[in-house]
Amino acid sequence: MTDVFADVAHEPGAKKPDPIVIADHVHRHFGGLTAVDVEHFEVQRHAITALIGPNGAGKSTFFNLLTGFDKPQTGEWQFNGHSLVGTSPAKIARAGKVRTFQLTKALNRMTVIENMRLGAAEQRGENFFNALVPGLWRSREQEITKKAESLLKRFKLYEKRDDYAGSLSGGQRKLLEMARALMSDPEMIMLDEPMAGVNPALTESLLDHIVELRDEGKTILFVEHDMHMVRRISDWVVVMAEGSIIAEGPPNTVMSNTAVQDAYLGAHHDTDLSEDAS
Ligand SMILES: Nc1ncnc2c1ncn2[C@@H]1O[C@H](COP(=O)(O)OP(=O)(O)OP(=O)(O)O)[C@@H](O)[C@H]1O
Ligand SMILES: [Mg+2]
């Protein structure tokens, strides 16, 4: 990929040449605790952006705000030039931005293919039963099943089609979460710690899938603690600490920023910051 970031400043809130997401003055506090206080944030289209930072930095909270699952006290953001303030998660998904979901207890008791069908319905804001019960929606149902099956093949989960989601390994669950999110053909996909609990055998395959999605033209924003993975696949890294963005830059240099090192050390984090860690 030609380096679209060549002229982007290595500083918090840096402007990008072609931003798909622009956020301003996003503030979220829980009682007296400021969880997110982001002045300006842009995500470059068709790139893989990593959002990193010590535990409690506000990464997941910021994710929830950007996808409409939580409401900020103040803030505004745009997706593809359209304001998303006060927009429901289903509408945000219809606009083309989705996040993956952890498989909850209820989803564990459904089969893999049922999870996929439900993924399509949730993201269109449809009634739960329309997605699961054939009948009135027969032809759409068939279309959804076809798409689900082709995604399951792509993510090597087709043999698990009729198994309960709860019986999958950690890595297979992550693949299912990703496949599920793709049911609505999103332009942008957001992943919160995609590598957590994944065994090394599946890590490579997950990384390849993420890079492949970018190469197909999707935009990816992911939160991750594993710096090895961040260095391997991200085009740009945004660092949060105590609710704010404290640094931005390419993966091979951003960790040597003093503010970043201080933030991690202050948090007694066990992340390996060395440049050549692998
Ligand atoms: N619903 C909530 N109620 C109260 N406090 C919350 C809530 N959600 C998050 N917080 C607090 O907001 C801060 C940011 O939390 P958040 O989960 O966003 O951090 P994070 O960067 O995702 O951390 P981690 O790397 O551990 O996942 C933390 O201090 C957390 O305790
Ligand atoms: Mg988190």
Side-chain angles (χ1 to χ4, degrees), residues 20 46 79-80 92-100 123 147 151 177-190 213 216-220:
I20 187 169
H46 303 326
F79 178 67
N80 273 332
I92 290 178
R94 258 171 283 161
K97 177 160 71 155
V98 299
R99 63 173 298 170
T100 57
Q123 288 162 2
K147 185 163 177 185
L151 280 166
E177 288 167 18
M178 214 182 288
R180 209 168 173 271
L182 291 173
M183 283 299 289
S184 62
D185 291 321
E187 273 183 71
M188 176 168 175
I189 173 160
M190 298 179 43
L213 290 171
E216 284 168 12
K218 297 202 188 299
T219 303
I220 306 185

mmCIF file of all heavy atoms in Angstrom, residues 20 46 79-80 92-100 123 147 151 177-190 213 216-220:
data_model
loop_
_atom_site.group_PDB
_atom_site.id
_atom_site.type_symbol
_atom_site.label_atom_id
_atom_site.label_comp_id
_atom_site.label_asym_id
_atom_site.label_seq_id
_atom_site.Cartn_x
_atom_site.Cartn_y
_atom_site.Cartn_z
ATOM 1 N N ILE A 20 -12.774 8.661 7.145
ATOM 2 C CA ILE A 20 -14.126 8.078 7.088
ATOM 3 C C ILE A 20 -14.875 8.434 8.379
ATOM 4 O O ILE A 20 -16.089 8.594 8.375
ATOM 5 C CB ILE A 20 -14.070 6.547 6.845
ATOM 6 C CG1 ILE A 20 -15.470 5.967 6.616
ATOM 7 C CG2 ILE A 20 -13.378 5.794 7.962
ATOM 8 C CD1 ILE A 20 -15.477 4.525 6.107
ATOM 9 N N HIS A 46 -9.959 2.972 4.325
ATOM 10 C CA HIS A 46 -9.207 1.864 3.705
ATOM 11 C C HIS A 46 -7.897 1.539 4.414
ATOM 12 O O HIS A 46 -6.974 1.014 3.785
ATOM 13 C CB HIS A 46 -8.879 2.145 2.230
ATOM 14 C CG HIS A 46 -10.072 2.412 1.374
ATOM 15 N ND1 HIS A 46 -11.294 1.813 1.571
ATOM 16 C CD2 HIS A 46 -10.228 3.243 0.304
ATOM 17 C CE1 HIS A 46 -12.147 2.251 0.663
ATOM 18 N NE2 HIS A 46 -11.542 3.127 -0.110
ATOM 19 N N PHE A 79 -19.671 10.070 10.124
ATOM 20 C CA PHE A 79 -19.232 8.883 9.407
ATOM 21 C C PHE A 79 -19.562 9.145 7.949
ATOM 22 O O PHE A 79 -20.713 9.456 7.624
ATOM 23 C CB PHE A 79 -19.971 7.656 9.928
ATOM 24 C CG PHE A 79 -19.621 6.386 9.202
ATOM 25 C CD1 PHE A 79 -18.353 5.844 9.312
ATOM 26 C CD2 PHE A 79 -20.558 5.745 8.411
ATOM 27 C CE1 PHE A 79 -18.021 4.672 8.638
ATOM 28 C CE2 PHE A 79 -20.238 4.577 7.737
ATOM 29 C CZ PHE A 79 -18.962 4.040 7.855
ATOM 30 N N ASN A 80 -18.570 9.108 7.084
ATOM 31 C CA ASN A 80 -18.793 9.441 5.672
ATOM 32 C C ASN A 80 -19.474 10.793 5.500
ATOM 33 O O ASN A 80 -20.327 10.957 4.638
ATOM 34 C CB ASN A 80 -19.655 8.366 5.006
ATOM 35 C CG ASN A 80 -18.811 7.217 4.485
ATOM 36 O OD1 ASN A 80 -17.643 7.415 4.142
ATOM 37 N ND2 ASN A 80 -19.388 6.036 4.425
ATOM 38 N N ILE A 92 -26.565 3.120 12.760
ATOM 39 C CA ILE A 92 -25.144 3.277 12.457
ATOM 40 C C ILE A 92 -24.673 2.081 11.633
ATOM 41 O O ILE A 92 -23.934 2.229 10.663
ATOM 42 C CB ILE A 92 -24.321 3.445 13.761
ATOM 43 C CG1 ILE A 92 -24.632 4.817 14.369
ATOM 44 C CG2 ILE A 92 -22.824 3.302 13.490
ATOM 45 C CD1 ILE A 92 -23.948 5.115 15.687
ATOM 46 N N ALA A 93 -25.163 0.901 11.973
ATOM 47 C CA ALA A 93 -24.803 -0.293 11.206
ATOM 48 C C ALA A 93 -25.324 -0.183 9.782
ATOM 49 O O ALA A 93 -24.644 -0.541 8.823
ATOM 50 C CB ALA A 93 -25.358 -1.548 11.878
ATOM 51 N N ARG A 94 -26.549 0.351 9.632
ATOM 52 C CA ARG A 94 -27.092 0.501 8.275
ATOM 53 C C ARG A 94 -26.285 1.503 7.464
ATOM 54 O O ARG A 94 -26.212 1.410 6.254
ATOM 55 C CB ARG A 94 -28.564 0.920 8.326
ATOM 56 C CG ARG A 94 -29.480 -0.268 8.056
ATOM 57 C CD ARG A 94 -30.912 0.084 8.306
ATOM 58 N NE ARG A 94 -31.167 0.101 9.743
ATOM 59 C CZ ARG A 94 -32.193 0.708 10.311
ATOM 60 N NH1 ARG A 94 -33.059 1.380 9.591
ATOM 61 N NH2 ARG A 94 -32.369 0.646 11.608
ATOM 62 N N ALA A 95 -25.705 2.482 8.164
ATOM 63 C CA ALA A 95 -24.876 3.463 7.457
ATOM 64 C C ALA A 95 -23.543 2.851 7.033
ATOM 65 O O ALA A 95 -22.806 3.443 6.263
ATOM 66 C CB ALA A 95 -24.638 4.680 8.347
ATOM 67 N N GLY A 96 -23.242 1.650 7.534
ATOM 68 C CA GLY A 96 -22.051 0.956 7.045
ATOM 69 C C GLY A 96 -20.918 0.803 8.034
ATOM 70 O O GLY A 96 -19.816 0.429 7.690
ATOM 71 N N LYS A 97 -21.191 1.075 9.298
ATOM 72 C CA LYS A 97 -20.141 0.919 10.299
ATOM 73 C C LYS A 97 -20.598 -0.085 11.340
ATOM 74 O O LYS A 97 -21.625 0.086 11.967
ATOM 75 C CB LYS A 97 -19.870 2.263 10.968
ATOM 76 C CG LYS A 97 -18.835 2.181 12.072
ATOM 77 C CD LYS A 97 -18.231 3.527 12.398
ATOM 78 C CE LYS A 97 -19.174 4.450 13.108
ATOM 79 N NZ LYS A 97 -18.555 5.466 13.927
ATOM 80 N N VAL A 98 -19.870 -1.162 11.518
ATOM 81 C CA VAL A 98 -20.264 -2.130 12.543
ATOM 82 C C VAL A 98 -19.096 -2.511 13.423
ATOM 83 O O VAL A 98 -17.944 -2.394 13.049
ATOM 84 C CB VAL A 98 -20.853 -3.437 11.964
ATOM 85 C CG1 VAL A 98 -22.092 -3.183 11.168
ATOM 86 C CG2 VAL A 98 -19.822 -4.192 11.150
ATOM 87 N N ARG A 99 -19.431 -2.957 14.598
ATOM 88 C CA ARG A 99 -18.423 -3.494 15.490
ATOM 89 C C ARG A 99 -18.744 -4.962 15.691
ATOM 90 O O ARG A 99 -19.866 -5.405 15.474
ATOM 91 C CB ARG A 99 -18.454 -2.770 16.824
ATOM 92 C CG ARG A 99 -19.766 -2.951 17.562
ATOM 93 C CD ARG A 99 -19.701 -2.375 18.947
ATOM 94 N NE ARG A 99 -18.700 -3.072 19.718
ATOM 95 C CZ ARG A 99 -18.276 -2.664 20.903
ATOM 96 N NH1 ARG A 99 -18.739 -1.559 21.423
ATOM 97 N NH2 ARG A 99 -17.384 -3.355 21.562
ATOM 98 N N THR A 100 -17.748 -5.717 16.098
ATOM 99 C CA THR A 100 -18.028 -7.113 16.396
ATOM 100 C C THR A 100 -18.565 -7.197 17.825
ATOM 101 O O THR A 100 -18.338 -6.312 18.640
ATOM 102 C CB THR A 100 -16.765 -7.980 16.292
ATOM 103 O OG1 THR A 100 -15.782 -7.453 17.166
ATOM 104 C CG2 THR A 100 -16.240 -7.982 14.873
ATOM 105 N N GLN A 123 -28.277 -6.017 12.491
ATOM 106 C CA GLN A 123 -27.671 -4.868 11.877
ATOM 107 C C GLN A 123 -28.627 -4.135 10.940
ATOM 108 O O GLN A 123 -28.375 -3.019 10.552
ATOM 109 C CB GLN A 123 -26.366 -5.279 11.216
ATOM 110 C CG GLN A 123 -25.376 -5.552 12.346
ATOM 111 C CD GLN A 123 -24.182 -6.351 11.961
ATOM 112 O OE1 GLN A 123 -24.019 -6.707 10.818
ATOM 113 N NE2 GLN A 123 -23.341 -6.624 12.926
ATOM 114 N N LYS A 147 -25.482 -16.161 1.937
ATOM 115 C CA LYS A 147 -24.394 -15.257 2.297
ATOM 116 C C LYS A 147 -23.665 -15.753 3.547
ATOM 117 O O LYS A 147 -22.433 -15.736 3.605
ATOM 118 C CB LYS A 147 -24.997 -13.891 2.563
ATOM 119 C CG LYS A 147 -23.997 -12.822 2.832
ATOM 120 C CD LYS A 147 -24.714 -11.546 2.638
ATOM 121 C CE LYS A 147 -23.861 -10.372 2.931
ATOM 122 N NZ LYS A 147 -24.690 -9.170 2.816
ATOM 123 N N LEU A 151 -19.688 -16.838 3.882
ATOM 124 C CA LEU A 151 -18.778 -16.252 4.882
ATOM 125 C C LEU A 151 -18.192 -17.328 5.806
ATOM 126 O O LEU A 151 -17.010 -17.286 6.150
ATOM 127 C CB LEU A 151 -19.496 -15.192 5.721
ATOM 128 C CG LEU A 151 -19.644 -13.814 5.069
ATOM 129 C CD1 LEU A 151 -20.648 -12.953 5.827
ATOM 130 C CD2 LEU A 151 -18.289 -13.103 4.996
ATOM 131 N N GLU A 177 -17.333 -14.002 15.314
ATOM 132 C CA GLU A 177 -17.709 -12.610 15.587
ATOM 133 C C GLU A 177 -17.437 -11.733 14.373
ATOM 134 O O GLU A 177 -18.223 -10.856 14.016
ATOM 135 C CB GLU A 177 -16.944 -12.075 16.803
ATOM 136 C CG GLU A 177 -17.426 -12.662 18.130
ATOM 137 C CD GLU A 177 -16.481 -12.391 19.298
ATOM 138 O OE1 GLU A 177 -15.628 -11.485 19.189
ATOM 139 O OE2 GLU A 177 -16.596 -13.094 20.306
ATOM 140 N N MET A 178 -16.295 -12.014 13.726
ATOM 141 C CA MET A 178 -15.938 -11.216 12.558
ATOM 142 C C MET A 178 -16.863 -11.540 11.374
ATOM 143 O O MET A 178 -17.353 -10.638 10.698
ATOM 144 C CB MET A 178 -14.478 -11.513 12.195
ATOM 145 C CG MET A 178 -13.754 -10.320 11.651
ATOM 146 S SD MET A 178 -12.062 -10.715 11.171
ATOM 147 C CE MET A 178 -11.267 -10.931 12.729
ATOM 148 N N ALA A 179 -17.092 -12.822 11.156
ATOM 149 C CA ALA A 179 -17.955 -13.243 10.050
ATOM 150 C C ALA A 179 -19.364 -12.668 10.223
ATOM 151 O O ALA A 179 -19.987 -12.187 9.271
ATOM 152 C CB ALA A 179 -18.020 -14.773 9.996
ATOM 153 N N ARG A 180 -19.828 -12.683 11.458
ATOM 154 C CA ARG A 180 -21.146 -12.188 11.800
ATOM 155 C C ARG A 180 -21.273 -10.696 11.461
ATOM 156 O O ARG A 180 -22.272 -10.244 10.913
ATOM 157 C CB ARG A 180 -21.278 -12.363 13.311
ATOM 158 C CG ARG A 180 -22.613 -12.576 13.839
ATOM 159 C CD ARG A 180 -22.454 -13.022 15.287
ATOM 160 N NE ARG A 180 -23.762 -13.086 15.870
ATOM 161 C CZ ARG A 180 -24.332 -12.060 16.453
ATOM 162 N NH1 ARG A 180 -23.697 -10.920 16.577
ATOM 163 N NH2 ARG A 180 -25.554 -12.190 16.925
ATOM 164 N N ALA A 181 -20.215 -9.961 11.792
ATOM 165 C CA ALA A 181 -20.224 -8.518 11.535
ATOM 166 C C ALA A 181 -20.270 -8.233 10.035
ATOM 167 O O ALA A 181 -20.784 -7.210 9.608
ATOM 168 C CB ALA A 181 -18.991 -7.865 12.162
ATOM 169 N N LEU A 182 -19.733 -9.156 9.237
ATOM 170 C CA LEU A 182 -19.665 -8.924 7.789
ATOM 171 C C LEU A 182 -20.982 -9.215 7.084
ATOM 172 O O LEU A 182 -21.122 -8.954 5.889
ATOM 173 C CB LEU A 182 -18.554 -9.778 7.171
ATOM 174 C CG LEU A 182 -17.139 -9.349 7.575
ATOM 175 C CD1 LEU A 182 -16.117 -10.354 7.070
ATOM 176 C CD2 LEU A 182 -16.827 -7.961 7.037
ATOM 177 N N MET A 183 -21.966 -9.741 7.820
ATOM 178 C CA MET A 183 -23.263 -10.060 7.217
ATOM 179 C C MET A 183 -23.943 -8.838 6.606
ATOM 180 O O MET A 183 -24.757 -8.967 5.713
ATOM 181 C CB MET A 183 -24.194 -10.720 8.244
ATOM 182 C CG MET A 183 -23.884 -12.175 8.527
ATOM 183 S SD MET A 183 -24.031 -13.228 7.062
ATOM 184 C CE MET A 183 -25.825 -13.241 6.807
ATOM 185 N N SER A 184 -23.599 -7.642 7.087
ATOM 186 C CA SER A 184 -24.260 -6.451 6.533
ATOM 187 C C SER A 184 -23.375 -5.686 5.550
ATOM 188 O O SER A 184 -23.650 -4.530 5.246
ATOM 189 C CB SER A 184 -24.696 -5.532 7.672
ATOM 190 O OG SER A 184 -23.543 -5.108 8.380
ATOM 191 N N ASP A 185 -22.311 -6.332 5.046
ATOM 192 C CA ASP A 185 -21.398 -5.654 4.114
ATOM 193 C C ASP A 185 -20.956 -4.279 4.593
ATOM 194 O O ASP A 185 -21.100 -3.296 3.867
ATOM 195 C CB ASP A 185 -22.070 -5.474 2.736
ATOM 196 C CG ASP A 185 -22.245 -6.784 2.025
ATOM 197 O OD1 ASP A 185 -21.341 -7.628 2.115
ATOM 198 O OD2 ASP A 185 -23.301 -6.957 1.386
ATOM 199 N N PRO A 186 -20.416 -4.181 5.789
ATOM 200 C CA PRO A 186 -20.048 -2.853 6.298
ATOM 201 C C PRO A 186 -18.848 -2.271 5.559
ATOM 202 O O PRO A 186 -18.025 -3.019 5.028
ATOM 203 C CB PRO A 186 -19.674 -3.138 7.751
ATOM 204 C CG PRO A 186 -19.183 -4.549 7.733
ATOM 205 C CD PRO A 186 -20.025 -5.266 6.715
ATOM 206 N N GLU A 187 -18.782 -0.952 5.532
ATOM 207 C CA GLU A 187 -17.603 -0.288 4.970
ATOM 208 C C GLU A 187 -16.495 -0.254 5.998
ATOM 209 O O GLU A 187 -15.315 -0.206 5.683
ATOM 210 C CB GLU A 187 -17.944 1.178 4.660
ATOM 211 C CG GLU A 187 -18.530 1.418 3.319
ATOM 212 C CD GLU A 187 -18.730 2.904 3.149
ATOM 213 O OE1 GLU A 187 -17.727 3.637 2.999
ATOM 214 O OE2 GLU A 187 -19.885 3.344 3.176
ATOM 215 N N MET A 188 -16.927 -0.190 7.255
ATOM 216 C CA MET A 188 -15.946 -0.099 8.332
ATOM 217 C C MET A 188 -16.270 -1.121 9.406
ATOM 218 O O MET A 188 -17.436 -1.333 9.732
ATOM 219 C CB MET A 188 -15.990 1.296 8.946
ATOM 220 C CG MET A 188 -15.068 1.451 10.130
ATOM 221 S SD MET A 188 -14.897 3.174 10.576
ATOM 222 C CE MET A 188 -13.912 2.987 12.062
ATOM 223 N N ILE A 189 -15.242 -1.747 9.935
ATOM 224 C CA ILE A 189 -15.472 -2.752 10.965
ATOM 225 C C ILE A 189 -14.574 -2.452 12.157
ATOM 226 O O ILE A 189 -13.422 -2.079 12.004
ATOM 227 C CB ILE A 189 -15.318 -4.167 10.373
ATOM 228 C CG1 ILE A 189 -15.380 -5.247 11.414
ATOM 229 C CG2 ILE A 189 -14.077 -4.349 9.580
ATOM 230 C CD1 ILE A 189 -15.718 -6.593 10.795
ATOM 231 N N MET A 190 -15.172 -2.544 13.344
ATOM 232 C CA MET A 190 -14.443 -2.217 14.561
ATOM 233 C C MET A 190 -14.313 -3.457 15.440
ATOM 234 O O MET A 190 -15.289 -4.159 15.675
ATOM 235 C CB MET A 190 -15.180 -1.107 15.316
ATOM 236 C CG MET A 190 -15.237 0.162 14.475
ATOM 237 S SD MET A 190 -16.093 1.579 15.187
ATOM 238 C CE MET A 190 -15.541 1.626 16.865
ATOM 239 N N LEU A 213 -9.367 -7.954 4.619
ATOM 240 C CA LEU A 213 -10.526 -7.054 4.625
ATOM 241 C C LEU A 213 -10.099 -5.642 4.213
ATOM 242 O O LEU A 213 -10.777 -4.973 3.439
ATOM 243 C CB LEU A 213 -11.193 -7.021 6.007
ATOM 244 C CG LEU A 213 -11.925 -8.300 6.398
ATOM 245 C CD1 LEU A 213 -12.361 -8.248 7.862
ATOM 246 C CD2 LEU A 213 -13.143 -8.517 5.500
ATOM 247 N N GLU A 216 -9.516 -5.451 0.583
ATOM 248 C CA GLU A 216 -10.765 -5.422 -0.186
ATOM 249 C C GLU A 216 -11.423 -4.055 -0.132
ATOM 250 O O GLU A 216 -12.480 -3.848 -0.716
ATOM 251 C CB GLU A 216 -11.760 -6.429 0.400
ATOM 252 C CG GLU A 216 -11.443 -7.851 0.037
ATOM 253 C CD GLU A 216 -12.269 -8.838 0.858
ATOM 254 O OE1 GLU A 216 -13.235 -8.406 1.535
ATOM 255 O OE2 GLU A 216 -11.944 -10.017 0.817
ATOM 256 N N GLY A 217 -10.833 -3.144 0.612
ATOM 257 C CA GLY A 217 -11.359 -1.785 0.643
ATOM 258 C C GLY A 217 -12.091 -1.399 1.916
ATOM 259 O O GLY A 217 -12.654 -0.312 2.012
ATOM 260 N N LYS A 218 -12.092 -2.302 2.907
ATOM 261 C CA LYS A 218 -12.764 -1.938 4.153
ATOM 262 C C LYS A 218 -11.824 -1.142 5.059
ATOM 263 O O LYS A 218 -10.608 -1.182 4.898
ATOM 264 C CB LYS A 218 -13.241 -3.206 4.878
ATOM 265 C CG LYS A 218 -14.269 -3.958 4.052
ATOM 266 C CD LYS A 218 -15.110 -4.862 4.893
ATOM 267 C CE LYS A 218 -15.997 -5.766 4.046
ATOM 268 N NZ LYS A 218 -16.946 -5.019 3.206
ATOM 269 N N THR A 219 -12.439 -0.416 5.970
ATOM 270 C CA THR A 219 -11.681 0.351 6.957
ATOM 271 C C THR A 219 -11.764 -0.399 8.277
ATOM 272 O O THR A 219 -12.837 -0.860 8.655
ATOM 273 C CB THR A 219 -12.304 1.748 7.124
ATOM 274 O OG1 THR A 219 -12.321 2.391 5.844
ATOM 275 C CG2 THR A 219 -11.531 2.586 8.120
ATOM 276 N N ILE A 220 -10.633 -0.539 8.954
ATOM 277 C CA ILE A 220 -10.621 -1.301 10.212
ATOM 278 C C ILE A 220 -10.071 -0.466 11.356
ATOM 279 O O ILE A 220 -9.022 0.178 11.209
ATOM 280 C CB ILE A 220 -9.756 -2.571 10.054
ATOM 281 C CG1 ILE A 220 -10.302 -3.272 8.888
ATOM 282 C CG2 ILE A 220 -9.780 -3.425 11.344
ATOM 283 C CD1 ILE A 220 -10.112 -4.376 8.298
#
